[in-house]
Amino acid sequence: MEQTERAGRIRWTILAMLFAVTVINYAVRAALSLAAPALSSDLGIDKLQLGVVFSAFGWSYCIAQMPGGWLLDRFGSVRVYFVAIVAWSALTIAHSTVVWMSGSAAVTVLFALRFLVGIAEAPSFPGNARIVAQWFPARERGTASAIFNAAQYFATVLFAPLLGWIVSGFGWQWSFVFIGVVGLIAAVIWLRVVHEPRHHPRVTKAELDLIAAGGGMIDLAAGTPASESQGEMRRKLGVLLANRTLWGLYLGQFFINTLTFFFITWFPVYLVEERGLTVVKAGLFATVPAICGFIGGVLGGMFSDWLLRRGASLTLARKVPVIGGMLLALTILGCNYAETNTMILVFMSLAFFGKGVGALGWAVVSDVAPRDSAGLSGGIFNMFGNVSSIFSPIVIGYILKQTGSFDLVLGLVAASALAAALCFLLLVGRIERIGAD
C-alpha cells in the first residue's frame, strides 16, 4: 500500500474520466426512451414505428464493434474516443431538430440518427478496456473494469430523473440538447485529462514502474500499421475466434447482457402490467435494483482484486466472483412466487446485485487480449455481448404475446444467468495474456 501511495494515483483520475463518459454514454442511450411518450404523441409516431427506431442503435452498435476496435488499435484510444464523444454528442443534439417533422419523415430521421449514434458509441467500451489494460496492473484491473462497467447503473440513478424533469418541464427536444451539451463539455475535459501512460504530463516514473511491473501495457499505443495486410488481419481474427477462453467470454457476455436488456427494456413493463404499479412508482422502484447493481459491480471488482492480492491465481480471482454473482442472480425466479411488491423488490435487488458482482467480463478481456489487438478483441467481445440487445427484447416480447405472463420470461432470464456461470466454469480456461512469452 505504501508503495502504491508513493507511486502516485494518476491512473485513478483516468478511471474517473472513463466512469464519467460512460455515464454520459448510457444517458445518451436512455434519452430517447425517456422522451418517447411525449415525442411519439407530438410527431404522430405509432408503437411499431417507435420500436423500429429503438432497434436502430442495437444493429449499428453491433456491426461497428470490430471496425471500432480496429480504429482503437490503429489510431490509439485517446484520439478515437475523443472523436466518438464529440460525434455521439452532436448527433444527440441533432435529435432535437425532429421537432419540426412528423410521421414517416420523423421516423426516417430518428432511425438514421439512432443508427449513427450506435456507430459513434461502438469504440467506447473496447476503448475503456484498452485504457484500463494500459493504465492498471493486474491486481487493480478487476476493480477498475468493474467501476467503468457499473456506470450503466449509475446513469439510470443520476440522469433518468433529471431528463424526465426536463421533458416534462421544457419539452422533449431539450432533453437531447442537454445531454448532448454535457457530452461536448466532457470531450473538452477528456483531452486535458486522458493521455497515453508515457505521455501523461503528471504521471511519475514510480507509477509507470508499478503499472508495468504488475502487467499493465504502458507501451500499448497507436500501433497498427496503416498498410496492414489482409493476411495479418485474418491472422488476428483467427487468434481471437479460435481461442476457447475467448469463446467462453463471448458467450458468457451474451447471457449476462440478457439480464441487462431485460432491465432496460421490459422491467418497467413488468412492474406496471404484472405488478400493477403506476408509471411514476415503477420509475422509482427501478432505481433500487439499479443502485444494487452498481454496488455489486464495484464490490465484485474489489473482491476479485482482493483475491489476487491474497495469492489467488488470476483465473480463480476472476472466475469466483463471476460464477458466484451469476448464481446469486438466479434469485430473480423468486419473483414468480412473491405475493407482495416488497418481496419483488428484494428478489430483483438481489438478482441485480449478483449480476453486478459477476459482470467482470471486461476485466478478463483486459487480462487476456493480445498486445497487438487489444481494441479489436474488445470489439469482438462487445459485439457478441450486444447481440442480446437485438434478440432478447424480441424473444421476451414473443413469450409475452404467446403466454400473457412474465413467468416464463423470468425463467428465461434466470436460465441466462445460469448459462453465463457455466460458460465461465466450463469454457473459460486459464486466464492469461494470449501470445505472451
Side-chain angles (χ1 to χ4, degrees):
M1 180 63 71
E2 291 180 4
Q3 180 187 1
T4 301
E5 292 297 329
R6 289 198 303 270
R9 304 183 68 83
I10 293 298
R11 61 195 183 281
W12 296 104
T13 303
I14 301 294
L15 180 62
M17 193 69 218
L18 289 182
F19 180 84
V21 296
T22 304
V23 168
I24 297 169
N25 178 306
Y26 268 88
V28 166
R29 301 185 196 193
L32 181 59
S33 298
L34 292 166
L39 178 151
S40 58
S41 176
D42 289 351
L43 304 183
I45 298 175
D46 63 31
K47 291 294 188 295
L48 178 59
Q49 291 172 322
L50 190 60
V52 171
V53 171
F54 279 142
S55 73
F57 178 93
W59 285 106
S60 62
Y61 188 73
C62 288
I63 291 168
Q65 286 302 308
M66 284 198 287
W70 180 84
L71 286 171
L72 290 163
D73 291 330
R74 171 69 182 90
F75 297 105
S77 304
V78 176
R79 283 185 289 176
V80 173
Y81 214 134
F82 168 75
V83 173
I85 298 170
V86 172
W88 85 52
S89 300
L91 288 165
T92 300
I93 293 173
H95 283 55
S96 65
T97 63
V98 185
V99 71
W100 293 295
M101 305 176 192
S102 63
S104 60
V107 171
T108 301
V109 173
L110 279 173
F111 185 92
L113 288 171
R114 295 309 289 177
F115 193 90
L116 291 172
V117 168
I119 294 174
E121 289 199 359
S124 55
F125 268 74
N128 287 350
R130 196 176 189 274
I131 291 170
V132 165
Q134 289 179 276
W135 274 98
F136 285 86
R139 67 179 185 177
E140 296 173 348
R141 203 173 292 145
T143 300
S145 298
I147 287 173
F148 79 66
N149 194 49
Q152 60 185 285
Y153 302 106
F154 193 79
T156 300
V157 176
L158 179 64
F159 278 106
L162 181 57
L163 291 176
W165 174 73
I166 292 173
V167 169
S168 62
F170 301 94
W172 56 264
Q173 66 271 30
W174 292 106
S175 63
F176 295 115
V177 174
F178 170 77
I179 197 62
V181 170
V182 170
L184 292 176
I185 293 171
V188 174
I189 299 172
W190 173 273
L191 284 182
R192 297 183 61 87
V193 172
V194 183
H195 304 271
E196 305 288 350
R198 289 201 183 277
H199 298 107
H200 199 289
R202 296 190 302 279
V203 71
T204 64
K205 182 180 182 301
E207 186 167 11
L208 289 176
D209 291 344
L210 176 73
I211 296 167
M217 297 190 291
I218 61 173
D219 294 311
L220 177 65
T224 303
S227 59
E228 181 177 64
S229 68
Q230 291 184 356
E232 178 64 13
M233 179 58 71
R234 284 197 297 269
R235 182 195 68 79
K236 290 181 178 181
L237 287 174
V239 170
L240 297 174
L241 294 176
N243 184 278
R244 191 190 76 172
T245 288
L246 287 177
W247 270 107
L249 285 175
Y250 301 154
L251 292 174
Q253 188 70 359
F254 172 87
F255 290 119
I256 290 172
N257 275 355
T258 299
L259 280 73
T260 301
F261 290 108
F262 166 75
F263 184 75
I264 292 173
T265 57
W266 287 106
F267 183 48
V269 179
Y270 168 76
L271 294 176
V272 173
E273 296 187 358
E274 190 92 349
R275 307 307 303 188
L277 298 184
T278 66
V279 174
V280 174
K281 287 183 178 178
L284 294 173
F285 198 97
T287 62
V288 178
I291 292 170
C292 290
F294 172 77
I295 294 171
V298 174
L299 291 181
M302 293 176 66
F303 177 56
S304 176
D305 289 344
W306 178 82
L307 289 174
L308 203 57
R309 289 193 295 270
R310 297 284 292 182
S313 68
L314 185 60
T315 302
L316 185 67
R318 298 297 189 238
K319 284 190 176 184
V320 167
V322 174
I323 295 170
M326 289 299 104
L327 293 178
L328 180 59
L330 294 175
T331 54
I332 199 170
L333 278 175
C335 295
N336 284 340
Y337 308 97
E339 296 182 356
T340 67
N341 288 335
T342 299
M343 290 307 300
I344 293 291
L345 188 62
V346 170
F347 286 128
M348 283 291 181
S349 297
L350 282 173
F352 282 95
F353 177 83
K355 189 263 182 184
V357 170
L360 281 177
W362 281 108
V364 182
V365 169
S366 296
D367 292 327
V368 304
R371 292 179 182 274
D372 63 349
S373 51
L376 182 61
S377 60
I380 295 173
F381 170 79
N382 209 28
M383 179 187 70
F384 276 98
N386 277 277
V387 170
S388 285
S389 71
I390 299 170
F391 289 105
S392 59
I394 296 172
V395 172
I396 290 172
Y398 177 79
I399 292 173
L400 291 173
K401 182 178 179 179
Q402 295 299 314
T403 68
S405 169
F406 274 86
D407 287 356
L408 284 180
V409 170
L410 296 180
L412 172 67
V413 174
S416 297
L418 180 60
L422 291 175
C423 285
F424 275 82
L425 181 64
L426 302 177
L427 291 180
V428 175
R430 184 178 179 183
I431 297 174
E432 60 184 353
R433 180 81 54 205
I434 296 171
D437 295 330

Tab-separated table of all heavy atoms in Angstrom, residues 136-189:
chain	number	residue	atom	x	y	z
A	136	PHE	N	-3.517	0.097	-15.688
A	136	PHE	CA	-3.685	-0.599	-14.403
A	136	PHE	C	-2.948	-1.931	-14.371
A	136	PHE	O	-3.013	-2.710	-15.325
A	136	PHE	CB	-5.170	-0.836	-14.104
A	136	PHE	CG	-5.892	0.406	-13.673
A	136	PHE	CD1	-6.425	1.279	-14.610
A	136	PHE	CD2	-6.015	0.721	-12.325
A	136	PHE	CE1	-7.064	2.440	-14.215
A	136	PHE	CE2	-6.655	1.880	-11.915
A	136	PHE	CZ	-7.180	2.746	-12.868
A	137	PRO	N	-2.256	-2.189	-13.251
A	137	PRO	CA	-1.680	-3.525	-13.058
A	137	PRO	C	-2.790	-4.551	-12.843
A	137	PRO	O	-3.926	-4.182	-12.508
A	137	PRO	CB	-0.823	-3.362	-11.795
A	137	PRO	CG	-1.474	-2.240	-11.044
A	137	PRO	CD	-2.018	-1.312	-12.097
A	138	ALA	N	-2.474	-5.806	-13.036
A	138	ALA	CA	-3.484	-6.862	-12.962
A	138	ALA	C	-4.212	-6.871	-11.624
A	138	ALA	O	-5.419	-7.120	-11.572
A	138	ALA	CB	-2.843	-8.220	-13.222
A	139	ARG	N	-3.519	-6.559	-10.541
A	139	ARG	CA	-4.139	-6.655	-9.217
A	139	ARG	C	-5.182	-5.560	-8.967
A	139	ARG	O	-5.939	-5.626	-8.002
A	139	ARG	CB	-3.070	-6.605	-8.135
A	139	ARG	CG	-2.341	-5.277	-8.018
A	139	ARG	CD	-1.314	-5.301	-6.900
A	139	ARG	NE	-0.694	-3.999	-6.709
A	139	ARG	CZ	0.196	-3.739	-5.752
A	139	ARG	NH1	0.550	-4.685	-4.915
A	139	ARG	NH2	0.708	-2.535	-5.646
A	140	GLU	N	-5.212	-4.533	-9.823
A	140	GLU	CA	-6.212	-3.471	-9.709
A	140	GLU	C	-7.200	-3.456	-10.879
A	140	GLU	O	-8.163	-2.703	-10.873
A	140	GLU	CB	-5.525	-2.100	-9.640
A	140	GLU	CG	-4.648	-1.897	-8.421
A	140	GLU	CD	-3.865	-0.596	-8.470
A	140	GLU	OE1	-3.818	0.050	-9.551
A	140	GLU	OE2	-3.288	-0.223	-7.442
A	141	ARG	N	-6.967	-4.316	-11.855
A	141	ARG	CA	-7.724	-4.249	-13.098
A	141	ARG	C	-9.184	-4.671	-12.918
A	141	ARG	O	-10.076	-4.162	-13.585
A	141	ARG	CB	-7.042	-5.119	-14.153
A	141	ARG	CG	-7.365	-4.726	-15.582
A	141	ARG	CD	-6.508	-5.521	-16.547
A	141	ARG	NE	-5.110	-5.137	-16.458
A	141	ARG	CZ	-4.089	-5.970	-16.613
A	141	ARG	NH1	-4.311	-7.245	-16.835
A	141	ARG	NH2	-2.852	-5.532	-16.531
A	142	GLY	N	-9.424	-5.607	-12.013
A	142	GLY	CA	-10.798	-6.026	-11.752
A	142	GLY	C	-11.634	-4.881	-11.204
A	142	GLY	O	-12.763	-4.648	-11.652
A	143	THR	N	-11.084	-4.169	-10.227
A	143	THR	CA	-11.790	-3.026	-9.655
A	143	THR	C	-12.019	-1.944	-10.701
A	143	THR	O	-13.128	-1.406	-10.832
A	143	THR	CB	-10.989	-2.439	-8.476
A	143	THR	OG1	-10.835	-3.440	-7.474
A	143	THR	CG2	-11.692	-1.231	-7.885
A	144	ALA	N	-10.972	-1.636	-11.476
A	144	ALA	CA	-11.087	-0.584	-12.483
A	144	ALA	C	-12.137	-0.931	-13.536
A	144	ALA	O	-12.975	-0.097	-13.900
A	144	ALA	CB	-9.724	-0.353	-13.145
A	145	SER	N	-12.116	-2.171	-14.018
A	145	SER	CA	-13.084	-2.579	-15.041
A	145	SER	C	-14.502	-2.590	-14.481
A	145	SER	O	-15.457	-2.204	-15.165
A	145	SER	CB	-12.719	-3.964	-15.582
A	145	SER	OG	-11.449	-3.951	-16.196
A	146	ALA	N	-14.642	-3.049	-13.248
A	146	ALA	CA	-15.969	-3.090	-12.630
A	146	ALA	C	-16.536	-1.688	-12.442
A	146	ALA	O	-17.740	-1.469	-12.606
A	146	ALA	CB	-15.891	-3.811	-11.288
A	147	ILE	N	-15.684	-0.728	-12.126
A	147	ILE	CA	-16.157	0.636	-11.899
A	147	ILE	C	-16.688	1.246	-13.191
A	147	ILE	O	-17.781	1.819	-13.225
A	147	ILE	CB	-15.040	1.504	-11.281
A	147	ILE	CG1	-14.829	1.109	-9.807
A	147	ILE	CG2	-15.380	2.994	-11.391
A	147	ILE	CD1	-13.653	1.781	-9.144
A	148	PHE	N	-15.933	1.129	-14.302
A	148	PHE	CA	-16.468	1.732	-15.529
A	148	PHE	C	-17.691	0.970	-16.028
A	148	PHE	O	-18.615	1.558	-16.586
A	148	PHE	CB	-15.390	1.893	-16.613
A	148	PHE	CG	-15.026	0.666	-17.412
A	148	PHE	CD1	-15.927	0.065	-18.279
A	148	PHE	CD2	-13.736	0.142	-17.357
A	148	PHE	CE1	-15.572	-1.041	-19.046
A	148	PHE	CE2	-13.376	-0.965	-18.114
A	148	PHE	CZ	-14.305	-1.556	-18.961
A	149	ASN	N	-17.745	-0.350	-15.800
A	149	ASN	CA	-18.902	-1.125	-16.241
A	149	ASN	C	-20.143	-0.802	-15.401
A	149	ASN	O	-21.271	-0.822	-15.902
A	149	ASN	CB	-18.586	-2.617	-16.163
A	149	ASN	CG	-19.602	-3.465	-16.905
A	149	ASN	OD1	-19.933	-3.204	-18.047
A	149	ASN	ND2	-20.099	-4.491	-16.243
A	150	ALA	N	-19.939	-0.484	-14.110
A	150	ALA	CA	-21.066	-0.169	-13.229
A	150	ALA	C	-21.680	1.186	-13.526
A	150	ALA	O	-22.745	1.512	-12.998
A	150	ALA	CB	-20.610	-0.223	-11.769
A	151	ALA	N	-21.027	1.973	-14.384
A	151	ALA	CA	-21.574	3.286	-14.739
A	151	ALA	C	-22.945	3.169	-15.380
A	151	ALA	O	-23.745	4.102	-15.319
A	151	ALA	CB	-20.613	4.020	-15.672
A	152	GLN	N	-23.238	2.012	-16.012
A	152	GLN	CA	-24.544	1.848	-16.653
A	152	GLN	C	-25.671	1.965	-15.631
A	152	GLN	O	-26.745	2.482	-15.956
A	152	GLN	CB	-24.606	0.492	-17.349
A	152	GLN	CG	-24.421	-0.700	-16.451
A	152	GLN	CD	-24.381	-2.016	-17.210
A	152	GLN	OE1	-25.408	-2.500	-17.666
A	152	GLN	NE2	-23.191	-2.580	-17.349
A	153	TYR	N	-25.459	1.484	-14.408
A	153	TYR	CA	-26.476	1.589	-13.366
A	153	TYR	C	-26.540	3.009	-12.818
A	153	TYR	O	-27.618	3.550	-12.570
A	153	TYR	CB	-26.168	0.622	-12.225
A	153	TYR	CG	-26.070	-0.813	-12.649
A	153	TYR	CD1	-24.840	-1.451	-12.727
A	153	TYR	CD2	-27.208	-1.542	-12.978
A	153	TYR	CE1	-24.743	-2.780	-13.120
A	153	TYR	CE2	-27.124	-2.863	-13.364
A	153	TYR	CZ	-25.889	-3.479	-13.437
A	153	TYR	OH	-25.795	-4.781	-13.819
A	154	PHE	N	-25.383	3.625	-12.640
A	154	PHE	CA	-25.335	4.976	-12.086
A	154	PHE	C	-26.005	5.969	-13.024
A	154	PHE	O	-26.613	6.941	-12.573
A	154	PHE	CB	-23.878	5.376	-11.838
A	154	PHE	CG	-23.729	6.610	-10.991
A	154	PHE	CD1	-23.876	6.538	-9.614
A	154	PHE	CD2	-23.449	7.832	-11.572
A	154	PHE	CE1	-23.735	7.682	-8.836
A	154	PHE	CE2	-23.314	8.978	-10.798
A	154	PHE	CZ	-23.457	8.892	-9.416
A	155	ALA	N	-25.918	5.700	-14.326
A	155	ALA	CA	-26.565	6.588	-15.299
A	155	ALA	C	-28.067	6.628	-15.076
A	155	ALA	O	-28.698	7.694	-15.184
A	155	ALA	CB	-26.253	6.119	-16.723
A	156	THR	N	-28.660	5.463	-14.774
A	156	THR	CA	-30.100	5.419	-14.503
A	156	THR	C	-30.453	6.246	-13.282
A	156	THR	O	-31.424	7.014	-13.285
A	156	THR	CB	-30.547	3.958	-14.291
A	156	THR	OG1	-30.266	3.210	-15.473
A	156	THR	CG2	-32.037	3.878	-13.981
A	157	VAL	N	-29.664	6.097	-12.232
A	157	VAL	CA	-29.938	6.795	-10.976
A	157	VAL	C	-29.773	8.305	-11.145
A	157	VAL	O	-30.589	9.097	-10.660
A	157	VAL	CB	-29.004	6.280	-9.861
A	157	VAL	CG1	-29.219	7.074	-8.570
A	157	VAL	CG2	-29.242	4.792	-9.615
A	158	LEU	N	-28.727	8.725	-11.862
A	158	LEU	CA	-28.408	10.148	-11.955
A	158	LEU	C	-29.231	10.885	-13.006
A	158	LEU	O	-29.816	11.941	-12.732
A	158	LEU	CB	-26.915	10.316	-12.274
A	158	LEU	CG	-26.407	11.757	-12.429
A	158	LEU	CD1	-26.541	12.517	-11.116
A	158	LEU	CD2	-24.950	11.758	-12.900
A	159	PHE	N	-29.303	10.327	-14.217
A	159	PHE	CA	-29.867	11.083	-15.328
A	159	PHE	C	-31.340	10.821	-15.593
A	159	PHE	O	-32.017	11.689	-16.164
A	159	PHE	CB	-29.065	10.820	-16.610
A	159	PHE	CG	-27.815	11.648	-16.715
A	159	PHE	CD1	-26.572	11.081	-16.516
A	159	PHE	CD2	-27.889	13.005	-16.995
A	159	PHE	CE1	-25.416	11.840	-16.607
A	159	PHE	CE2	-26.739	13.779	-17.091
A	159	PHE	CZ	-25.495	13.193	-16.889
A	160	ALA	N	-31.859	9.650	-15.240
A	160	ALA	CA	-33.270	9.376	-15.544
A	160	ALA	C	-34.210	10.397	-14.904
A	160	ALA	O	-35.071	10.962	-15.593
A	160	ALA	CB	-33.632	7.955	-15.128
A	161	PRO	N	-34.082	10.709	-13.609
A	161	PRO	CA	-34.960	11.735	-13.031
A	161	PRO	C	-34.731	13.121	-13.646
A	161	PRO	O	-35.689	13.863	-13.880
A	161	PRO	CB	-34.593	11.723	-11.540
A	161	PRO	CG	-33.947	10.403	-11.309
A	161	PRO	CD	-33.223	10.092	-12.579
A	162	LEU	N	-33.467	13.443	-13.928
A	162	LEU	CA	-33.153	14.768	-14.464
A	162	LEU	C	-33.709	14.951	-15.877
A	162	LEU	O	-34.354	15.963	-16.189
A	162	LEU	CB	-31.637	14.972	-14.476
A	162	LEU	CG	-31.117	16.323	-14.999
A	162	LEU	CD1	-31.723	17.477	-14.213
A	162	LEU	CD2	-29.595	16.353	-14.931
A	163	LEU	N	-33.501	13.942	-16.736
A	163	LEU	CA	-34.018	14.038	-18.091
A	163	LEU	C	-35.546	14.003	-18.098
A	163	LEU	O	-36.188	14.687	-18.908
A	163	LEU	CB	-33.455	12.898	-18.948
A	163	LEU	CG	-31.953	12.980	-19.270
A	163	LEU	CD1	-31.506	11.741	-20.043
A	163	LEU	CD2	-31.618	14.239	-20.056
A	164	GLY	N	-36.126	13.209	-17.198
A	164	GLY	CA	-37.582	13.194	-17.084
A	164	GLY	C	-38.133	14.562	-16.713
A	164	GLY	O	-39.171	15.002	-17.241
A	165	TRP	N	-37.465	15.250	-15.804
A	165	TRP	CA	-37.876	16.591	-15.390
A	165	TRP	C	-37.767	17.573	-16.555
A	165	TRP	O	-38.658	18.419	-16.766
A	165	TRP	CB	-37.006	17.052	-14.232
A	165	TRP	CG	-37.244	18.475	-13.825
A	165	TRP	CD1	-38.320	18.978	-13.147
A	165	TRP	CD2	-36.372	19.588	-14.086
A	165	TRP	NE1	-38.176	20.335	-12.970
A	165	TRP	CE2	-36.994	20.739	-13.530
A	165	TRP	CE3	-35.145	19.722	-14.704
A	165	TRP	CZ2	-36.411	22.000	-13.597
A	165	TRP	CZ3	-34.558	20.976	-14.780
A	165	TRP	CH2	-35.199	22.101	-14.234
A	166	ILE	N	-36.704	17.463	-17.346
A	166	ILE	CA	-36.540	18.357	-18.499
A	166	ILE	C	-37.644	18.108	-19.524
A	166	ILE	O	-38.226	19.054	-20.073
A	166	ILE	CB	-35.145	18.154	-19.141
A	166	ILE	CG1	-34.048	18.652	-18.189
A	166	ILE	CG2	-35.051	18.892	-20.481
A	166	ILE	CD1	-32.642	18.345	-18.652
A	167	VAL	N	-37.960	16.838	-19.779
A	167	VAL	CA	-39.011	16.511	-20.749
A	167	VAL	C	-40.353	17.096	-20.316
A	167	VAL	O	-41.066	17.714	-21.109
A	167	VAL	CB	-39.127	14.984	-20.919
A	167	VAL	CG1	-40.387	14.618	-21.708
A	167	VAL	CG2	-37.892	14.425	-21.630
A	168	SER	N	-40.680	16.923	-19.044
A	168	SER	CA	-41.984	17.389	-18.565
A	168	SER	C	-42.040	18.906	-18.405
A	168	SER	O	-43.099	19.517	-18.588
A	168	SER	CB	-42.317	16.721	-17.222
A	168	SER	OG	-41.361	17.078	-16.236
A	169	GLY	N	-40.909	19.526	-18.076
A	169	GLY	CA	-40.912	20.955	-17.800
A	169	GLY	C	-40.601	21.843	-18.987
A	169	GLY	O	-41.083	22.989	-19.054
A	170	PHE	N	-39.809	21.348	-19.955
A	170	PHE	CA	-39.349	22.217	-21.033
A	170	PHE	C	-39.633	21.663	-22.433
A	170	PHE	O	-39.535	22.389	-23.418
A	170	PHE	CB	-37.835	22.458	-20.907
A	170	PHE	CG	-37.443	23.098	-19.603
A	170	PHE	CD1	-37.044	22.314	-18.523
A	170	PHE	CD2	-37.487	24.469	-19.445
A	170	PHE	CE1	-36.685	22.891	-17.322
A	170	PHE	CE2	-37.128	25.057	-18.243
A	170	PHE	CZ	-36.740	24.262	-17.169
A	171	GLY	N	-39.944	20.385	-22.532
A	171	GLY	CA	-40.175	19.769	-23.838
A	171	GLY	C	-39.135	18.706	-24.127
A	171	GLY	O	-37.968	18.842	-23.741
A	172	TRP	N	-39.566	17.646	-24.826
A	172	TRP	CA	-38.675	16.507	-25.036
A	172	TRP	C	-37.418	16.868	-25.810
A	172	TRP	O	-36.348	16.289	-25.593
A	172	TRP	CB	-39.423	15.370	-25.744
A	172	TRP	CG	-40.056	15.750	-27.049
A	172	TRP	CD1	-41.341	16.124	-27.272
A	172	TRP	CD2	-39.406	15.781	-28.336
A	172	TRP	NE1	-41.550	16.397	-28.602
A	172	TRP	CE2	-40.385	16.183	-29.282
A	172	TRP	CE3	-38.122	15.508	-28.782
A	172	TRP	CZ2	-40.091	16.322	-30.643
A	172	TRP	CZ3	-37.822	15.643	-30.131
A	172	TRP	CH2	-38.797	16.050	-31.037
A	173	GLN	N	-37.514	17.849	-26.729
A	173	GLN	CA	-36.351	18.182	-27.549
A	173	GLN	C	-35.186	18.703	-26.714
A	173	GLN	O	-34.019	18.493	-27.057
A	173	GLN	CB	-36.721	19.187	-28.645
A	173	GLN	CG	-37.126	20.565	-28.164
A	173	GLN	CD	-38.626	20.670	-27.888
A	173	GLN	OE1	-39.270	19.680	-27.527
A	173	GLN	NE2	-39.180	21.850	-28.057
A	174	TRP	N	-35.498	19.357	-25.586
A	174	TRP	CA	-34.430	19.941	-24.762
A	174	TRP	C	-33.662	18.891	-23.964
A	174	TRP	O	-32.531	19.143	-23.547
A	174	TRP	CB	-35.005	21.020	-23.849
A	174	TRP	CG	-35.466	22.207	-24.631
A	174	TRP	CD1	-36.751	22.573	-24.907
A	174	TRP	CD2	-34.623	23.164	-25.286
A	174	TRP	NE1	-36.778	23.700	-25.685
A	174	TRP	CE2	-35.488	24.092	-25.934
A	174	TRP	CE3	-33.254	23.341	-25.394
A	174	TRP	CZ2	-34.995	25.159	-26.675
A	174	TRP	CZ3	-32.761	24.402	-26.130
A	174	TRP	CH2	-33.624	25.305	-26.758
A	175	SER	N	-34.247	17.723	-23.778
A	175	SER	CA	-33.500	16.656	-23.108
A	175	SER	C	-32.329	16.201	-23.981
A	175	SER	O	-31.234	15.919	-23.484
A	175	SER	CB	-34.422	15.470	-22.792
A	175	SER	OG	-34.932	14.878	-23.975
A	176	PHE	N	-32.538	16.161	-25.303
A	176	PHE	CA	-31.448	15.799	-26.213
A	176	PHE	C	-30.377	16.889	-26.251
A	176	PHE	O	-29.182	16.589	-26.287
A	176	PHE	CB	-32.006	15.567	-27.621
A	176	PHE	CG	-32.928	14.394	-27.727
A	176	PHE	CD1	-34.267	14.563	-28.041
A	176	PHE	CD2	-32.462	13.106	-27.512
A	176	PHE	CE1	-35.124	13.482	-28.155
A	176	PHE	CE2	-33.307	12.017	-27.624
A	176	PHE	CZ	-34.643	12.202	-27.936
A	177	VAL	N	-30.818	18.139	-26.263
A	177	VAL	CA	-29.856	19.244	-26.260
A	177	VAL	C	-29.017	19.205	-24.986
A	177	VAL	O	-27.777	19.342	-25.034
A	177	VAL	CB	-30.583	20.597	-26.385
A	177	VAL	CG1	-29.589	21.755	-26.224
A	177	VAL	CG2	-31.296	20.697	-27.724
A	178	PHE	N	-29.675	18.993	-23.853
A	178	PHE	CA	-28.956	18.997	-22.576
A	178	PHE	C	-27.874	17.924	-22.527
A	178	PHE	O	-26.701	18.210	-22.243
A	178	PHE	CB	-29.949	18.788	-21.423
A	178	PHE	CG	-29.285	18.547	-20.091
A	178	PHE	CD1	-28.744	19.598	-19.375
A	178	PHE	CD2	-29.184	17.262	-19.576
A	178	PHE	CE1	-28.119	19.376	-18.145
A	178	PHE	CE2	-28.570	17.026	-18.357
A	178	PHE	CZ	-28.030	18.087	-17.644
A	179	ILE	N	-28.256	16.676	-22.809
A	179	ILE	CA	-27.272	15.596	-22.663
A	179	ILE	C	-26.202	15.695	-23.731
A	179	ILE	O	-25.041	15.328	-23.517
A	179	ILE	CB	-27.971	14.213	-22.675
A	179	ILE	CG1	-27.024	13.151	-22.112
A	179	ILE	CG2	-28.449	13.837	-24.057
A	179	ILE	CD1	-26.602	13.374	-20.683
A	180	GLY	N	-26.548	16.244	-24.912
A	180	GLY	CA	-25.537	16.452	-25.947
A	180	GLY	C	-24.507	17.494	-25.541
A	180	GLY	O	-23.304	17.317	-25.760
A	181	VAL	N	-24.966	18.588	-24.945
A	181	VAL	CA	-24.039	19.626	-24.473
A	181	VAL	C	-23.148	19.081	-23.350
A	181	VAL	O	-21.943	19.360	-23.310
A	181	VAL	CB	-24.817	20.877	-24.007
A	181	VAL	CG1	-23.896	21.853	-23.283
A	181	VAL	CG2	-25.476	21.553	-25.198
A	182	VAL	N	-23.727	18.295	-22.447
A	182	VAL	CA	-22.921	17.661	-21.392
A	182	VAL	C	-21.813	16.812	-22.015
A	182	VAL	O	-20.660	16.825	-21.572
A	182	VAL	CB	-23.806	16.802	-20.467
A	182	VAL	CG1	-22.943	15.948	-19.529
A	182	VAL	CG2	-24.733	17.687	-19.647
A	183	GLY	N	-22.143	16.085	-23.077
A	183	GLY	CA	-21.149	15.264	-23.753
A	183	GLY	C	-20.037	16.093	-24.382
A	183	GLY	O	-18.855	15.729	-24.308
A	184	LEU	N	-20.379	17.214	-25.016
A	184	LEU	CA	-19.358	18.066	-25.628
A	184	LEU	C	-18.429	18.660	-24.576
A	184	LEU	O	-17.200	18.771	-24.795
A	184	LEU	CB	-20.023	19.180	-26.437
A	184	LEU	CG	-20.773	18.730	-27.700
A	184	LEU	CD1	-21.476	19.916	-28.345
A	184	LEU	CD2	-19.822	18.070	-28.691
A	185	ILE	N	-18.972	19.029	-23.424
A	185	ILE	CA	-18.126	19.528	-22.325
A	185	ILE	C	-17.186	18.423	-21.856
A	185	ILE	O	-15.994	18.646	-21.612
A	185	ILE	CB	-19.004	20.029	-21.165
A	185	ILE	CG1	-19.791	21.274	-21.588
A	185	ILE	CG2	-18.150	20.331	-19.933
A	185	ILE	CD1	-20.842	21.714	-20.584
A	186	ALA	N	-17.718	17.202	-21.765
A	186	ALA	CA	-16.890	16.067	-21.344
A	186	ALA	C	-15.761	15.813	-22.338
A	186	ALA	O	-14.650	15.439	-21.947
A	186	ALA	CB	-17.756	14.817	-21.193
A	187	ALA	N	-16.026	16.025	-23.643
A	187	ALA	CA	-14.993	15.812	-24.654
A	187	ALA	C	-13.823	16.774	-24.464
A	187	ALA	O	-12.648	16.389	-24.620
A	187	ALA	CB	-15.588	15.994	-26.056
A	188	VAL	N	-14.127	18.024	-24.123
A	188	VAL	CA	-13.063	19.011	-23.877
A	188	VAL	C	-12.239	18.600	-22.662
A	188	VAL	O	-10.995	18.648	-22.682
A	188	VAL	CB	-13.672	20.409	-23.671
A	188	VAL	CG1	-12.591	21.409	-23.268
A	188	VAL	CG2	-14.384	20.871	-24.941
A	189	ILE	N	-12.916	18.171	-21.603
A	189	ILE	CA	-12.209	17.739	-20.400
A	189	ILE	C	-11.374	16.495	-20.689
A	189	ILE	O	-10.251	16.345	-20.186
A	189	ILE	CB	-13.214	17.470	-19.261
A	189	ILE	CG1	-13.982	18.752	-18.923
A	189	ILE	CG2	-12.509	16.934	-18.021
A	189	ILE	CD1	-15.127	18.538	-17.941
